[in-house]
Amino acid sequence: MSDDARHDEFMHYALTLAHAAAEQGEVPVGAVVVRDGEIIGEGSNRPIGSCDPTAHAEVVALRAAASHAGNYRLPGSTLYVTVEPCAMCVGALVHARVQTVVYGTVEPRTGAVESAFELLAAGQHNHQVEVVSGVQADAARGLMQAFFRARRR
């Protein structure tokens, strides 16, 4: 299977998790952690429902993956997330030693990979995370726009 097909497959699953978050009234972001072709952690946004400001989809997925692996470090893993990670989530990716982050759409206001900040490009990190962006961007962007349009009504 090509990288593009693999990215599409796992991003499709992350989008399913994002839809589930929206149904719970959470901002629709979904994430999965994959290692050796297997999903080892998944999550969707749930800061509201869990009363936890750190319960972003990426952090929830990383926690599940670390528990599955029995180690907080996840070398060789890829995190797929529907929206560009924020500064907190970028820090978590670096600390978890995630190899690659693949995301759907940019987050112009708080995105910390390429939009508002470029934190993964900082040379000071002790670990470098590869970045792939724009995977199923239209679907991810459309989901976010529809969610916030409905909330403004």
Side-chain angles (χ1 to χ4, degrees):
M1 181 183 300
S2 73
D3 281 348
D4 288 345
R6 186 172 296 111
H7 292 336
D8 281 337
E9 174 188 348
F10 291 120
M11 188 62 72
H12 178 76
Y13 187 64
L15 283 162
T16 301
L17 296 169
H19 281 281
E23 290 172 6
Q24 299 296 315
E26 303 278 1
V27 174
V29 180
V32 294
V33 178
V34 175
R35 187 159 58 185
D36 299 326
E38 174 190 354
I39 294 174
I40 61 170
E42 64 182 62
S44 58
N45 262 8
R46 55 182 190 204
I48 297 166
S50 65
C51 298
D52 179 357
T54 69
H56 289 196
E58 300 95 322
V59 172
V60 173
L62 288 170
R63 287 175 179 158
S67 180
H68 177 270
N71 191 335
Y72 76 99
R73 291 191 173 160
L74 301 167
S77 66
T78 299
L79 181 123
Y80 292 85
V81 61
T82 57
V83 177
E84 179 183 3
C86 71
M88 175 186 70
C89 293
V90 164
L93 292 169
V94 171
H95 288 294
R97 309 295 197 270
V98 169
Q99 179 177 327
T100 306
V101 61
V102 178
Y103 66 89
T105 191
V106 295
E107 208 317 310
R109 294 169 68 185
T110 61
V113 176
E114 69 174 288
S115 297
F117 309 99
E118 295 180 2
L119 296 180
L120 287 176
Q124 298 88 345
H125 296 301
N126 61 346
H127 173 73
Q128 298 302 308
V129 179
E130 298 170 23
V131 177
V132 176
S133 62
V135 176
Q136 295 193 27
D138 291 340
R141 185 180 321 103
L143 179 57
M144 291 289 281
Q145 289 172 338
F147 177 80
F148 285 109
R149 193 176 308 118
R151 290 197 67 178
R152 285 191 286 273
R153 287 186 193 150

